[in-house]
Amino acid sequence: MRPLQILLIFAFTVNNAISHTINKRQALSEDRWFCDFETDICGMKHESSYVKWTRHAGRTTSADTGPDSDHTQGTNEGHYIYLETSDPAVGGDKARITLQINQTELQHCLSFYYHMHGEGIGDFNVETGLAKDVQTVFSKTGDQGNEWHLKKINMPIGSYLTFEATKARGGRNYLGDIALDDISLTVGECSSKLMTVDVWGCDFEKITWDDPSDETGCGESYRGMTQLRDDNFDFTRLNKQTQSKHTGPFTGIKGGHFAYTESSPVDNNDRRLEDAVIRSPRFGNDGVQKLSFFYHTRGLLVGGLRVVALDYNLKIIPFTYPKLDMKSSVKWKSATFALPKGTSVIEFHVTLPDNEKFWSSDIAIDEVLVTTDIDITTTGIRARPTTTEEPVTEIVMQTKDYIVEGDSLPVLWYCTFERLGWEDPSDSNGCGDGQSGMEQLLEDDFNFTRTNKDTPSRNTGPSSGSDGGYFVYSESSVSYGIYDRTNKVAIIRTPQMASGLPKYLSFKYHTFGDTIGTLTIRALSADGSILQIDMDPLSMRSSQIWKMVEDIELPVGTATVEFVVVLRNDETFWTSDIALDEIYIKYDPGTVTEASRGQPSFSCDFDSGICDFLNDESGDLNWTRNSGSTASFSTGPSRDHTSRSGSYVYLESSTPAKKGDKARFRTPLMDITVPTCFTMFYHMYGLQIGTLSVRIPEEQQILWDDSGNKGNEWLRVQIPLPRGSYVIDIEGEVGDGYLGDIAFDDVDIQPGKCNEIEMARNLVQFDSKSFAAKRKASFPMPITPYPPTRMPTTARPTTVIEDDKELSRPVLWYCTFEKAGWDKPLDRNGCGEGQDGMFQLDGDDFDFSRTKKGTPSVNTGPFRGSDGGYYIYAESSADDNLDRSGERATIRTPTLYGDMNKYLSFKYHTRGQTIGSLTLATISQDLKIRSFSIPSLSMTSYDGYHTTFRLTERAFRIKVTSKS
């Protein structure tokens, strides 16, 4: 028998009360004893003359002390042991638990996790020895922070191992719970088998990157940062060139957003040596931590950038790191260095230069990442292989089902992963021009990740995409604090496609690692049923070659395709980064079988895809699936018809489209044998609208058409269909210019006669009391989140909740400026729940700014919003010392639907020596702008808010202009 087996048997026979059966957790391998306390205390023994350690799950009984969860699982269900220091325990009480071990000449490694958090923490000791020769091998005293700490010790020879926790004497010693978990005793010296895992990071892609209450503000599982209030100004998020010339980057390191410090003068003030500080959330401080980030320094005179490390209690930890290169450059630079021991928080400090050219110092940061090295010997994971392979050129693997070379099938959908929207099914160009994004399923265990470089783990995954660009892969390394990922699943799904067409799938995949999991392709019907694909299992052999699967025939009825990765049920699951690239789905238009024929019952709202429609290649353009507004102002819808939050299809009339270009959307082949009605909602708004028609192409028969500007509203058409077997084309033709976006939604083909009576659509009322309880608005009143495009003949009565007659009317739209998306018209909640954001017009001289504190200039502007929150203002300070007199800033409301009288109320603030002007205008449905005079609109300096109410004309938009 091996020595450790004898050791374990000896331990179980010495203690008569302990079972002779070896628990799985106690013998993970022949050379290791392990206890995670999930079932019991694993044969350890409480010393009877002392208080006992308590086996427990979840939080301890006292607040502000002890762990929130165990270490093994990190959940409320996982177990650990701890010393309870509340009554009746008294100061000096000890809890001791012992494991008997056999005296042996072999070296042993002890590892365990301990938790010591609380104001009254006492002592924690680990002892070993022979007979009366006792040796303390580890000792800690006092609060160590609210986290689990790993300790590894090369053990001296001994016959027992004791863990002792002591309650402190005096003070608030009831806040002194000490906990222990995941004890491991292994033959051999403690090794340094480390794995690098991400702890926290920020890519600045979300607008809530500086909201510490948003758990995903900085990315998936990464909490947002904090803009400190005791500095002079804030960082700004952007994805284009900063407002000052010759300074700042043009885009983020990966083409997305970044954070920067705007150094331009405000109100001609001297901003030399002003500083801006952002702070990370608290993160774990186990292991060797490293910080990496990209930074950008371009300008005539660049200021300073430094990193500050803080402990759990936000005390600064002095440390040195390599000097940052602050020379002016148009390129992004990178920095990587170790953080000092105990770091739980980092700060980035930017200081403007002490020079009159301080305004040329826009400093930016991007892709911040904190990593740590965790010890994988205590988790049963073997070390990574050290062998490497030389990279080789690509080899093409073909499966048994493929199209003969030279065949050229049209592409139905594809994804090359070159765009950030690849995982957004609502992004109609997420996977490529006109190619909707894929979906990361919620019911799996983890997500695919997009990159264009090496995956974080060594000796697994590709170094670039199959074409040298981006690809997606399943990261198999352990997540921070979650070590066992065996059998974990990641799934991505294509958008929905025409199920009736014969389709063929091609893609490239990459499998390189010590132990590769599995990649499975699933075909699903429109109702979600899994269809059987006739294909050989994919080769999972480890290789640095991108493999290709070419033109697999998908089963009839396939509407979507899923790619499923499952990690191996093996300790080396983490060496299994599987990658995907260049997914193409083609179709054969010349092979329409009886099974692919559509039934005379068809419906599509475009929220999940384009259903069974096809963009006919005989057209000059494609119809585009979209949500929100189209790309051009003053044309196209601002939201879909179905739910006001879904998708629709539209014809983009901007360049390169030209007058007369056509796009055709084709239904499946249908057998119409009974009276059948075609219903569709369409939208034709803009001064240069062309023609929309519904046709039977084989017979060159026009069933219906309409041309010209029909106003900014959704209209309905019903068409009785003739009997026969045919497809239907919905054809759009571009008009005279870019103000000609045509859209349609909610296509419905059903048996039965058409109902020619226009259905009334009622107002949806909003509970004013619940709204007022959620937020003290400037005008608490009943809200109609989505007014109808056509008013009903009789509206529902409105409950009056204000004595003022002007405030008793229902709200059509409002903006309180509490949300960062207030000036993003595509943000459906930008101005409030269900309230679209406003427009900052491009044709003016400068933009409005949003804040909740005083403006940068002295003796002008308010100190806070009218209700104590955010507000917007026109900053009048000089920009680069230029004369700004006469400059204008203009904002515009979203389209206000409904041909009805509308009333406007707002609050405004005018304080300063010389006040400019504030004017309003309305924009009618025919796009005519009319000035909007308010006699009581006072521009005298007044340190308070004015309020005005005014009956507007039958406006569809309101434009507000501030003039310096």
Side-chain angles (χ1 to χ4, degrees):
M1 304 177 76
R2 294 191 179 182
L4 187 59
Q5 288 178 304
I6 298 172
L7 178 149
L8 291 172
I9 295 172
F10 179 83
F12 293 135
T13 54
V14 169
N15 299 287
N16 294 329
I18 300 172
S19 170
H20 288 266
T21 303
I22 297 177
N23 188 286
K24 272 188 176 182
R25 297 181 325 282
Q26 298 165 323
L28 292 183
S29 70
E30 296 178 348
D31 298 325
R32 184 175 175 224
W33 178 90
F34 178 70
C35 187
D36 58 11
F37 303 105
E38 292 306 319
T39 304
D40 50 38
I41 60 174
C42 309
M44 304 179 75
K45 186 177 181 181
H46 296 287
E47 294 194 15
S48 58
S49 57
Y50 300 91
V51 299
K52 291 185 176 182
W53 288 83
T54 302
R55 181 173 164 271
H56 188 69
R59 299 176 63 96
T60 61
T61 55
S62 304
D64 301 319
T65 187
D68 298 320
S69 61
D70 75 322
H71 174 265
T72 316
Q73 301 180 20
T75 66
N76 292 329
E77 288 74 34
H79 289 78
Y80 57 92
I81 60 172
Y82 82 105
L83 169 65
E84 175 55 63
T85 55
S86 302
D87 291 338
V90 297
D93 276 357
K94 298 179 187 291
R96 290 172 61 90
I97 191 167
T98 298
L99 172 69
Q100 297 291 331
I101 57 178
N102 189 23
Q103 181 179 348
T104 174
E105 297 299 325
L106 295 177
Q107 176 75 58
H108 286 79
C109 174
L110 169 68
S111 69
F112 56 89
Y113 283 84
Y114 65 96
H115 191 287
M116 300 173 68
H117 170 54
E119 186 178 333
I121 290 290
D123 302 325
F124 174 57
N125 298 301
V126 181
E127 301 174 356
T128 189
L130 291 169
K132 296 182 179 180
D133 184 14
V134 179
Q135 181 177 354
T136 300
V137 295
F138 178 75
S139 182
K140 278 284 183 184
T141 302
D143 189 353
Q144 304 298 313
N146 189 11
E147 53 194 302
W148 287 98
H149 302 272
L150 169 65
K151 182 62 181 177
K152 292 169 52 175
I153 305 168
N154 284 313
M155 293 290 294
I157 296 171
S159 61
Y160 65 88
L161 178 64
T162 299
F163 296 89
E164 176 189 86
T166 305
K167 180 175 179 177
R169 297 180 185 274
R172 304 179 71 183
N173 57 2
Y174 60 90
L175 298 178
D177 295 349
I178 299 173
L180 182 64
D181 201 2
D182 291 339
I183 307 171
S184 173
L185 191 65
T186 309
V187 170
E189 292 187 358
C190 296
S191 62
S192 298
K193 297 177 181 178
L194 301 177
M195 177 181 293
T196 300
V197 297
D198 297 345
V199 178
W200 173 85
C202 197
D203 58 10
F204 305 103
E205 292 305 322
K206 293 185 68 175
I207 62 173
T208 52
W209 73 272
D210 58 352
D211 180 1
S213 66
D214 187 345
E215 295 183 355
T216 61
C218 270
E220 186 175 349
S221 302
Y222 294 155
R223 188 178 293 275
M225 304 182 74
T226 300
Q227 303 253 28
L228 296 198
R229 295 185 177 182
D230 53 1
D231 55 2
N232 301 113
F233 65 106
D234 284 345
F235 278 71
T236 303
R237 171 179 169 269
L238 198 62
N239 63 348
K240 56 185 179 182
Q241 186 176 4
T242 62
Q243 68 182 47
S244 305
K245 295 180 180 179
H246 310 301
T247 185
F250 296 97
T251 184
I253 184 65
K254 293 184 177 180
H257 288 82
F258 57 90
Y260 82 102
T261 51
E262 175 55 57
S263 59
S264 299
V266 179
D267 195 27
N268 276 332
N269 63 330
D270 188 346
R271 298 185 60 197
R272 285 183 281 192
L273 296 180
E274 285 192 2
D275 67 329
V277 184
I278 51 175
R279 176 184 290 169
S280 75
R282 286 185 174 91
F283 48 76
N285 58 18
D286 285 345
V288 178
Q289 291 178 319
K290 290 184 179 180
L291 169 66
S292 64
F293 61 95
F294 288 87
Y295 63 106
H296 193 282
T297 56
R298 181 171 73 101
L300 297 176
L301 187 68
V302 178
L305 169 65
R306 62 190 178 97
V307 177
V308 175
L310 298 92
D311 65 13
Y312 183 83
N313 296 313
L314 302 183
K315 294 181 180 179
I316 295 177
I317 306 174
F319 81 114
T320 59
Y321 54 87
K323 185 178 180 180
L324 300 178
D325 178 11
M326 302 306 292
K327 294 179 181 178
S328 178
S329 173
V330 297
K331 295 182 179 180
W332 283 92
K333 308 162 191 173
S334 64
T336 301
F337 46 81
L339 294 171
K341 184 178 180 181
T343 299
S344 288
V345 176
I346 57 170
E347 290 179 347
F348 289 91
H349 292 239
V350 168
T351 305
L352 300 187
D354 186 11
N355 188 283
E356 61 183 8
K357 295 181 180 178
F358 62 83
W359 47 266
S360 67
S361 181
D362 292 353
I363 296 176
I365 61 173
D366 199 2
E367 297 295 329
V368 179
L369 183 64
V370 177
T371 61
T372 190
D373 293 333
I374 64 168
D375 185 341
I376 60 176
T377 57
T378 59
T379 63
I381 305 173
R382 296 199 299 269
R384 295 183 180 276
T386 57
T387 58
T388 59
E389 262 187 78
E390 292 293 326
V392 292
T393 55
E394 179 180 338
I395 297 175
V396 175
M397 179 198 73
Q398 293 184 334
T399 57
K400 65 177 183 178
D401 295 318
Y402 61 91
I403 302 299
V404 178
E405 185 175 356
D407 282 1
S408 180
L409 292 177
V411 174
L412 184 61
W413 173 87
Y414 69 87
C415 196
T416 60
F417 305 106
E418 296 303 318
R419 300 190 180 186
L420 288 172
W422 76 271
E423 58 181 344
D424 181 2
S426 67
D427 187 343
S428 58
N429 298 302
C431 273
D433 289 328
Q435 309 301 317
S436 296
M438 303 184 73
E439 181 181 0
Q440 300 253 29
L441 266 59
L442 298 177
E443 58 266 27
D444 56 2
D445 301 304
F446 66 107
N447 281 345
F448 279 75
T449 303
R450 172 179 171 267
T451 188
N452 63 347
K453 55 186 178 182
D454 289 326
T455 62
S457 308
R458 291 187 294 271
N459 301 313
T460 187
S463 57
S464 66
S466 61
D467 58 352
Y470 282 88
F471 60 94
V472 296
Y473 72 100
S474 54
E475 175 54 58
S476 57
S477 299
V478 297
S479 300
Y480 190 67
I482 304 175
Y483 299 121
D484 186 3
R485 298 186 70 196
T486 56
N487 293 321
K488 297 300 182 184
V489 180
I491 306 174
I492 52 176
R493 177 186 293 167
T494 69
Q496 188 167 327
M497 293 163 283
S499 60
L501 285 176
K503 289 182 282 293
Y504 301 87
L505 170 67
S506 299
F507 62 94
K508 295 175 182 178
Y509 71 108
H510 193 283
T511 56
F512 173 51
D514 186 40
T515 306
I516 301 296
T518 61
L519 171 63
T520 306
I521 313 303
R522 292 199 301 219
L524 285 79
S525 64
D527 62 4
S529 302
I530 297 177
L531 307 174
Q532 185 65 40
I533 303 177
D534 183 16
M535 63 179 289
D536 295 329
L538 298 175
S539 169
M540 294 289 106
R541 180 179 60 86
S542 177
S543 172
Q544 291 196 29
I545 303 168
W546 278 95
K547 309 180 181 80
M548 174 183 280
V549 173
E550 196 168 31
D551 293 324
I552 290 289
E553 185 175 1
L554 296 172
V556 173
T558 298
T560 58
V561 177
E562 290 181 348
F563 296 82
V564 184
V565 167
V566 181
L567 301 186
R568 281 284 292 270
N569 186 19
D570 187 277
E571 293 176 351
T572 54
F573 60 82
W574 46 266
T575 66
S576 181
D577 291 354
I578 297 175
L580 291 167
D581 200 3
E582 303 290 332
I583 302 174
Y584 282 83
I585 296 179
K586 305 173 185 177
Y587 71 100
D588 184 357
T591 312
V592 181
T593 64
E594 288 299 318
S596 68
R597 290 177 181 265
Q599 300 299 315
S601 179
F602 175 86
S603 182
C604 189
D605 60 12
F606 305 106
D607 286 349
S608 300
I610 61 171
C611 307
D612 283 345
F613 277 107
L614 282 177
N615 266 306
D616 184 34
E617 292 193 337
S618 66
D620 308 294
L621 305 169
N622 282 343
W623 288 95
T624 302
R625 180 170 163 266
N626 188 47
S627 58
S629 300
T630 63
S632 305
F633 294 131
S634 303
T635 187
S638 59
R639 51 172 68 94
D640 78 318
H641 171 265
T642 316
S643 64
R644 306 298 194 267
S645 61
S647 299
Y648 58 90
V649 171
Y650 84 106
L651 173 62
E652 175 57 61
S653 58
S654 301
T655 306
K658 59 185 183 297
K659 183 178 180 180
D661 280 354
K662 296 180 174 63
R664 299 185 181 96
F665 228 28
R666 180 163 292 178
T667 68
L669 183 64
M670 296 179 294
D671 290 323
I672 308 297
T673 59
V674 297
T676 302
C677 185
F678 176 101
T679 303
M680 175 181 73
F681 284 84
Y682 66 101
H683 193 283
M684 301 174 70
Y685 168 55
L687 294 180
Q688 297 166 316
I689 291 290
T691 301
L692 177 66
S693 60
V694 178
R695 302 164 175 258
I696 300 176
E698 292 180 356
E699 301 177 9
Q700 297 183 347
Q701 180 181 358
I702 299 176
L703 301 176
W704 169 90
D705 66 350
D706 204 350
S707 302
N709 185 3
K710 303 303 176 186
N712 192 359
E713 58 183 324
W714 286 99
L715 305 172
R716 187 180 66 157
V717 60
Q718 290 186 324
I719 308 166
L721 296 180
R723 299 176 188 263
S725 180
Y726 51 85
V727 298
I728 292 176
D729 280 355
I730 302 175
E731 181 181 281
E733 182 176 344
V734 176
D736 291 328
Y738 69 93
L739 296 178
D741 293 350
I742 299 173
F744 64 89
D745 197 4
D746 293 331
V747 177
D748 192 38
I749 303 174
Q750 298 294 337
K753 294 183 178 180
C754 290
N755 179 9
E756 299 296 340
I757 302 173
E758 192 71 30
M759 294 184 296
R761 302 172 59 214
N762 294 324
L763 287 167
V764 179
Q765 294 295 325
F766 187 88
D767 185 351
S768 60
K769 294 182 180 179
S770 65
F771 173 73
K774 290 179 181 178
R775 163 167 175 73
K776 293 181 180 179
S778 302
F779 36 89
M781 60 188 83
I783 303 291
T784 305
Y786 300 117
T789 55
R790 290 190 175 182
M791 290 293 296
T793 53
T794 305
R796 295 183 182 178
T798 301
T799 303
V800 177
I801 63 170
E802 290 281 338
D803 293 333
D804 194 322
K805 292 181 180 180
E806 301 291 352
L807 290 176
S808 65
R809 295 182 173 88
V811 171
L812 185 63
W813 172 85
Y814 70 89
C815 196
T816 60
F817 307 106
E818 295 304 318
K819 299 196 174 187
W822 76 271
D823 58 350
K824 296 177 174 58
L826 295 183
D827 187 343
R828 300 185 186 91
N829 299 304
C831 273
E833 296 301 324
Q835 309 302 316
D836 288 355
M838 304 182 72
F839 293 85
Q840 298 252 31
L841 295 198
D842 292 332
D844 55 3
D845 302 301
F846 66 106
D847 284 345
F848 279 75
S849 302
R850 171 178 170 268
T851 187
K852 62 177 178 180
K853 51 188 178 182
T855 63
S857 308
V858 181
N859 298 323
T860 185
F863 297 100
R864 62 187 63 85
S866 62
D867 58 352
Y870 282 91
Y871 64 95
I872 61 170
Y873 70 100
E875 177 53 58
S876 58
S877 300
D879 184 5
D880 290 339
N881 295 318
L882 298 176
D883 181 3
R884 298 185 59 201
S885 59
E887 286 192 1
R888 297 171 181 264
T890 305
I891 53 174
R892 191 177 74 193
T893 69
T895 300
L896 308 175
Y897 293 97
D899 187 14
M900 70 194 88
N901 290 332
K902 303 181 183 72
Y903 296 78
L904 170 68
S905 68
F906 63 96
K907 295 188 178 180
Y908 67 104
H909 190 284
T910 54
R911 182 170 73 99
Q913 288 186 345
T914 306
I915 301 296
S917 63
L918 175 66
T919 59
L920 293 92
T922 62
I923 304 174
S924 62
Q925 186 174 1
D926 59 3
L927 304 182
K928 292 182 179 179
I929 299 177
R930 298 177 177 88
S931 61
F932 182 29
S933 175
I934 303 179
S936 61
L937 201 63
S938 171
M939 290 292 107
T940 57
S941 179
Y942 174 67
D943 194 8
Y945 277 89
H946 310 266
T947 303
T948 184
F949 303 98
R950 169 68 174 172
L951 174 64
T952 75
E953 300 174 20
R954 296 192 174 187
F956 280 77
R957 297 188 184 97
I958 298 172
K959 185 171 69 171
V960 180
T961 302
S962 175
K963 183 177 180 181
S964 300

